[in-house]
Structure formats: structure tokens, C-alpha cells
Amino acid sequence: MTALTIWRTGKAGPEALLEIDTAGTVTGFNGHVDLGTGIRTALGQIVAEELDLPPARVRMVLGDSARTPDQGPTIASETIQFAAVPLRAAAAQARTILLALAATRFGCPPEALTLRDGVVTGGAGTADFAALLANQSIRAELDPAARVKTPAEYRTVGRSSPRVDLPGKATGTWTYVHDVRLPGMLHGHVLRPPYAGRDSGPFIGHSLLAVDEASVAHLPGLVAIVRIRDFLAVVAEREGQARTIAEALKVRWALPPELPDLGDIAGTLRDLPATKRVLTDRGDVEAALARAKVQLARSYSWPWQMHGSIGPSCAVARIEAGRLEIWSGTQNPHLLRGDIARLMEMPEDAIDIHRHEAAGCYGRNCADDVCGDAALLARAVGRPVRVQLTREQEHLWEPKGAAQLMEVRGGLSADGRFDAYDFETRYPSNRGPNLALLLTGAIDPSPQPSDMGDRTAIPPYRIENLRVAVHDMAPIVRASWFRGVSALPNTF
């Protein structure tokens, strides 16, 4: 039973940030997830610091869409900078509440009390959290201005603390998403279209011409063949059976148009239709270049890049009593819930994403795609379904880190000053929706340019004559976040 809850108002109503139960157990809730960096441990340290607890006494729940606040995707090193701030305030506010309860019990002002290792001392005695919260049911809305400790008061934060996840990972007892098993679970194997990695085009959703179900009807373990436009998958009793059946299934696809030459990054990106967007234009760049003592012009290309995770993506889905649960390796649990709601035509509050660590996640990989696959198959057969991609499927279909072309002209004045800088960058957009949304026709497959190529394009230097522009263009192949999203090549 929860005795003390600190909550805040979120997008969909009250969201718990911190709970202390009647046994004194502390649980913190954060919408971000641990991608292997130790965030689970660090957030626990922050809570422990404000409550003067040993870190081992704090349990963190991360990225569970039904239980944690919606704090957006886990990106850009934002967890400690931003997502941890309300959690820290909630722990500090809980400390104030506990001290007030102890002050009433002991008949002394809160200032006369000390809190150390989960025990309040002062006045007429001592009491731990369980004793202070006995028979209590306190719900308090977050006070963002709650007084938090100063760095000089830290006893836990800033000091080495054992990673809470490593013992389980070292001994093989940690539950990765690949390890999730549910009673009655079946296995799905998807058959992707031949336009591997394409992001857009009128052929998407319309290229599956024929499926000969009779060609595999005799194979053992077959439960169902599921087809929704270009989404095609086999469900079977065992994982190996599902793959064998899928590989034997006779399917006829229409082939898409040829892609442009992806080996010629510079030529392809120069030729791609684009909208030029000027980010800054000051001074007279052309005049400065004309009078420059030293003038240089260079082009730099940045290739498409594969995430290449050590293991392929996996998800498990179950639909019962009108609720959909998905066990996922996503880094965007709340955003994923929105995609799945659209795919399944269900309200978001009927969908729960349970997040587990996976074999890599930066930039999505295909971690979100398998969630759509599993959800569609679980609905089709009425039983839990697990989908794990093959390595080939993962690498062909994962959204790649996008290519980029940077064209630079610069000039030094006669006295050696950096006097002119003309920079143009071309970046085919990221667009990383759940693949099932595209294949089933749930979203428009036509290419859409976006403005994601301008990060760090304006240099941090004092240059009198400066012009910077980005050419916004639609994607060519599926592209998604890959450690920096245009910032690295622009900065280089």
C-alpha cells in the first residue's frame, strides 16, 4: 500500500514521480530509459541523496508508459539535465513531509530533527519512514520550488555507486526484451517487401501482388498468415517454425523504381529537389571572398550509416480485455504508444508499453518496428506474439543515419583574419515512424521534407561576413537519429 505519493499534472492527467509505501520502500518514476549508460543507478542516487537513504533502498521504474511520466524520448543527454529535475524536487518535497510528520510526533520543530539513512532522530526519539507513514495516505502535488540540497551537502551524488544492473547482466539473470516470455505465447516472422529501406513512394502499401497460402499449409506449427496491404507475416507455435514457413511461403511482389546512386552522395544530394533555407546572412560574403588573400572552397560528404546493433530487435505483444500490452526495447515509450494507437485504431490509454533493455537502441534501430509487428499479429490470432527480427532484416530495414553534403567557401583577409565564411549543407530528412504504419497504409507514404539539417550549422566564431544555409529535402531511404542528427558533420 502506498503511503506517500508525490505527483504532477501531465499531458494525460496526474503522473506519479515518487512513492513511499507503508514498509518504507521508495520508488521513483522517470519517463526516460536506460540505454546502457547507467541512468537507472544515477537517478536512484539523486532520490537517495534528497531522502538521505542508502541508494540500495531506492527502486527506479523507467519508461513504462502506464506508470511513468511522459517526458519525451531519451535523447540528447537530457535525462539528468531535465527529466531528473522534477524527480529530485519530488524527493526533496517528500523529505519535508516526513520531517513535518516526525516534528508532530516528537513535539519539536522540524529544524531540530536530523534525517540519516532513512531514520529521523530528534526530540523524543527516532522513527524510520515506515513508522512515520503508518496508517497514512498522503498525496501531494509536486512543488517545483521544493528546497533541494546544495552540492556542499551531498553525501551520495558525485560519489561512486555500484551499477544496480551489472550483477544481473554479469550472471545472466537480467531480463532483456529478448528474454520476455508469456503464457500461451506464439512466434511471428515478418516478410518485408523488396524495397528494403525505402522511406517513401506510391508503391509502398501496394506492392504485395499475391500470397500462395497453400504453399505452406502442410508445414508444422502454422497458426496464421497475416496480410494487411504490404504487411505480411507468419505466426507459428515456435520461432524456428515461423521462420521456416515464412521462407517457404510463395509471395509475388511488384518491384519499385530504382534508387538514385547512393554511392555518389554529393551528386545525388545536389540533384535531389530541395528548399533552401537561409539561417544567417551578415556582411557581404561575396565581396569579402573576392578581396581575400587566401580563399578555399571544399566539399565534404557524410555517408549513410548503419546502427549495426549486436543483436536484432525484439518485441512481445498481448491483447486482453480491450487492452494492448507491448514489451519493447524502444527509447521512446510514450511516442511509441501514440504510433501504436494510430496503427491499431485504439485510444492511447488502452495501450501499455513495458520497456526492457535491448541490444542497442540509439536512433531507434528497428526496435519500434517490431512493436507494430507484434501488435498486429497478437490482434490477428488472439494470443501473445513474440517477434524477433533476423540480423538480415534488422540491417536491411533499420533507419540509417542520414547522409549529408557540406559545401564550404572561406577567406582570410590580408592581415590574417577569418573574414568570410559561406556554408551550405544538404540533409535528406529523418523520418522514423513505425514501419507497420507505412506498410499498412495507416500514414501517407509520400516523401516529406523536414528541417533537421541545420544543427550547429552556424559556427561559434566571430566572422564579419557570414552566410549559412540548409537545403531541406525529403528522405531517400529510411533515416533516423544517429548520434547527433546533422550536428557532427556540420561542426566538422
Side-chain angles (χ1 to χ4, degrees):
M1 175 181 167
T2 301
L4 172 59
T5 301
I6 309 295
W7 60 276
R8 73 172 191 181
T9 301
K11 299 174 184 176
E15 298 174 332
L17 294 166
L18 187 86
E19 291 181 352
I20 305 178
D21 65 20
T22 52
T25 301
V26 177
T27 303
F29 301 91
N30 195 277
H32 282 195
V33 303
D34 197 329
L35 300 177
T37 60
I39 287 299
R40 183 182 301 275
T41 302
L43 292 173
Q45 282 182 278
I46 290 171
V47 172
E49 182 66 75
E50 296 299 332
L51 284 169
D52 275 301
L53 282 173
R57 294 268 303 275
V58 178
R59 185 172 70 97
M60 290 301 308
V61 176
L62 305 180
D64 188 309
S65 66
R67 304 180 65 192
T68 65
D70 181 355
Q71 295 175 294
T74 308
I75 58 173
S77 302
E78 290 183 351
T79 303
I80 298 299
Q81 295 181 75
F82 303 112
V85 173
L87 178 66
R88 181 189 185 198
Q93 185 174 351
R95 174 192 178 97
T96 299
I97 291 171
L98 290 164
L99 289 175
L101 291 173
T104 300
R105 172 180 288 216
F106 299 148
C108 65
E111 296 77 17
L113 301 171
T114 59
L115 174 56
R116 184 64 58 91
D117 292 334
V119 176
V120 180
T121 304
T126 63
D128 60 15
F129 291 177
L132 292 171
L133 293 171
N135 303 315
Q136 299 276 352
S137 181
I138 302 170
R139 286 181 55 83
E141 185 171 6
L142 177 68
D143 176 9
R147 190 259 179 193
V148 297
K149 288 185 178 182
T150 66
E153 298 173 282
Y154 288 170
R155 298 174 56 243
T156 300
V157 167
R159 299 186 181 183
S160 180
S161 185
R163 284 270 296 264
V164 298
D165 55 326
L166 291 187
K169 290 175 178 178
T171 59
T173 58
W174 187 262
T175 302
Y176 290 93
V177 68
H178 303 76
D179 302 319
V180 173
R181 299 291 186 273
L182 300 179
M185 186 179 75
L186 300 171
H187 294 267
H189 188 94
V190 295
L191 291 90
R192 298 299 194 209
Y195 44 83
R198 295 289 188 102
D199 183 86
S200 53
F203 52 85
I204 292 182
H206 302 281
S207 68
L208 181 50
L209 302 180
V211 179
D212 182 5
E213 297 191 20
S215 64
V216 295
H218 64 287
L219 294 178
L222 176 63
V223 174
I225 296 172
V226 180
R227 175 186 178 181
I228 308 171
R229 293 178 67 165
D230 276 5
F231 176 82
L232 180 63
V234 167
V235 181
E237 294 288 345
R238 293 167 50 191
E239 183 178 2
Q241 292 172 334
R243 181 171 182 176
T244 297
I245 295 166
E247 291 174 347
L249 184 64
K250 294 182 179 179
V251 182
R252 189 158 57 90
W253 301 91
L255 296 178
E258 289 292 325
L259 280 169
D261 184 0
L262 300 186
D264 179 15
I265 293 173
T268 295
L269 295 191
R270 285 194 189 102
D271 292 342
L272 197 69
T275 301
K276 184 175 180 178
R277 182 162 49 94
V278 176
L279 304 178
T280 187
D281 189 358
R282 66 171 181 254
D284 189 333
V285 171
E286 295 300 334
L289 287 171
R291 66 174 179 261
K293 182 177 181 180
V294 177
Q295 183 183 144
L296 296 174
R298 295 289 187 271
S299 292
Y300 301 95
S301 61
W302 177 269
W304 279 276
Q305 297 176 66
M306 184 170 68
H307 294 85
S309 291
I310 196 170
S313 297
C314 179
V316 180
R318 175 174 64 192
I319 299 180
E320 286 184 352
R323 294 200 65 82
L324 169 61
E325 293 180 276
I326 298 176
W327 287 260
S328 169
T330 182
Q331 70 186 86
N332 307 331
H334 293 86
L335 292 177
L336 172 63
R337 182 174 61 177
D339 277 352
I340 298 297
R342 186 171 185 177
L343 173 68
M344 304 291 286
E345 298 182 322
M346 296 175 66
E348 284 194 34
D349 60 8
I351 299 170
D352 298 333
I353 308 295
H354 306 302
R355 203 274 173 176
H356 288 264
E357 288 188 48
C361 193
Y362 292 111
R364 282 187 65 256
N365 297 354
C366 284
D368 294 0
D369 291 346
V370 285
C371 297
D373 299 336
L376 290 172
L377 298 182
R379 181 177 67 183
V381 300
R383 289 172 61 181
V385 176
R386 177 182 184 271
V387 176
Q388 178 171 306
L389 302 181
T390 64
R391 188 174 297 275
E392 180 183 31
Q393 288 173 324
E394 177 82 33
H395 294 341
L396 282 172
W397 276 96
E398 67 170 70
K400 308 299 188 290
Q404 196 163 342
L405 175 66
M406 292 71 60
E407 297 181 301
V408 189
R409 293 190 299 160
L412 299 181
S413 65
D415 59 357
R417 286 182 298 108
F418 190 0
D419 192 39
Y421 185 67
D422 188 20
F423 180 81
E424 294 195 0
T425 182
R426 287 173 166 81
Y427 182 87
S429 303
N430 284 2
R431 189 172 73 145
N434 192 283
L435 183 58
L437 287 168
L438 287 169
L439 299 182
T440 62
I443 61 174
D444 183 0
S446 60
Q448 300 292 330
S450 67
D451 55 354
M452 298 191 71
D454 56 8
R455 297 180 67 197
T456 72
I458 299 175
Y461 305 115
R462 291 189 294 274
I463 306 170
E464 186 174 343
N465 302 286
L466 174 67
R467 183 168 59 205
V468 178
V470 59
H471 294 257
D472 296 324
M473 55 185 66
I476 303 173
V477 297
R478 291 188 81 206
S480 187
W481 301 268
F482 194 108
R483 312 309 290 139
V485 189
S486 79
L488 293 175
N490 283 341
T491 298
F492 169 82

